[in-house]
Amino acid sequence: MSVVVLGLVTSNQDKLAEISAMLPKGFEVQRLDLGEIDETGATFEENAELKAIAGLVQSSVALGEDSGLEVEALHSAPGVYSKRYAESDVARVRRLLAELRDVDDRRARFVTVIAMAQRRGLTQFFRGEVEGHIAREPSGTNGFGYDPIFVPNEGDGRTFAQMTREEKGRISHRGRALAMLVANVGTLVHLGEDLPE
Ligand code: ITT
């Protein structure tokens, strides 16, 4: 059986590991190492496309993924700045909890946009979202980023960091975006022709 190899431009090992674990049989993800790409876009779509297009120097089809957390009471911040919100995962979580200390409306959503760029075709976008709320304190050690304080509405009250990778992937923003990509891969004309050498 032939395998579809998806080249992903990322410097984030956690994303790569999640995507790799979620792909169905017949698909593999391979990291395209282009260092950190400057995220100058104003939207997840723009930043995902910047990363994907950078990957076209190495592969005729390349994926870029941009994701982040939108908090209702903070007018959708940190959003595309989720990575740049603070220096480390612990500091990011601490800052967000401090910003929300006196806030009762704790609704939030995670967003992932995967862009698939092609040398000979238009970029396609796959967006996944998951609604939830920000907990009062961190719980759990799995996952990465804001997982210890994000409680999805579709779960049982646990944070993403208290779930297994499989449990998170079934309802996560990234799992949803990836499922859409996989469902559409058959319609992508050039895919599989000359993927990452
Ligand atoms: P790239 O090289 O792929 O750009 P990155 O870490 O810089 O990796 P982003 O710019 O897309 O990625 O920033 C995403 C940030 O949003 C990430 O660093 C986390 O802080 C947060 N984030 C995204 N998905 C998350 C998830 O599933 N769980 C927790 N935090 C997440």
Side-chain angles (χ1 to χ4, degrees):
M1 182 181 156
S2 68
V3 172
V4 176
V5 181
L6 302 169
L8 175 71
V9 177
T10 187
S11 55
N12 184 322
Q13 292 295 342
D14 294 300
K15 277 186 188 180
L16 192 71
E18 283 195 3
I19 289 174
S20 176
M22 284 187 290
L23 281 172
K25 244 184 143 77
F27 290 86
E28 272 175 24
V29 65
Q30 179 179 310
R31 181 173 171 225
L32 301 178
D33 185 2
L34 290 146
E36 286 265 350
I37 309 297
D38 253 359
E39 298 188 13
T40 52
T43 62
F44 294 113
E45 278 78 6
E46 283 171 20
N47 284 334
E49 187 172 27
L50 283 172
K51 297 177 211 181
I53 284 176
L56 295 181
V57 298
Q58 289 189 12
S59 168
S60 61
V61 181
L63 304 181
E65 194 254 47
D66 201 53
S67 47
L69 183 63
E70 294 184 340
V71 178
E72 202 74 21
L74 302 179
H75 311 288
S76 297
V80 292
Y81 298 102
S82 294
K83 169 80 181 298
R84 292 163 274 179
Y85 205 47
E87 281 303 307
S88 65
D89 279 351
V90 170
R92 287 186 262 273
V93 163
R94 198 180 297 136
R95 175 171 175 196
L96 190 59
L97 287 179
E99 305 253 9
L100 295 178
R101 192 169 15 240
D102 301 316
V103 178
D104 288 332
D105 177 2
R106 307 187 71 86
R107 288 173 297 159
R109 83 175 58 79
F110 266 127
V111 179
T112 288
V113 172
I114 300 176
M116 175 178 276
Q118 307 186 57
R119 279 190 202 144
R120 289 161 291 168
L122 295 176
T123 301
Q124 290 184 266
F125 297 93
F126 306 94
R127 177 183 264 255
E129 299 186 359
V130 56
E131 304 283 340
H133 73 267
I134 304 299
R136 291 269 166 198
E137 57 190 45
S139 305
T141 54
N142 298 334
F144 68 103
Y146 300 89
D147 282 344
I149 52 170
F150 184 83
V151 181
N153 289 345
E154 289 151 87
D156 53 10
R158 284 177 297 158
T159 66
F160 267 167
Q162 291 175 300
M163 296 182 179
T164 63
R165 187 177 273 164
E166 291 68 34
E167 287 174 318
K168 176 184 170 186
R170 271 198 286 276
I171 55 173
S172 79
H173 48 318
R174 186 163 295 105
R176 288 179 171 149
L178 200 62
M180 292 200 346
L181 171 98
V182 166
N184 280 280
V185 143
T187 68
L188 297 166
V189 184
H190 299 301
L191 195 67
E193 255 180 35
D194 55 349
L195 276 159
E197 288 92 36

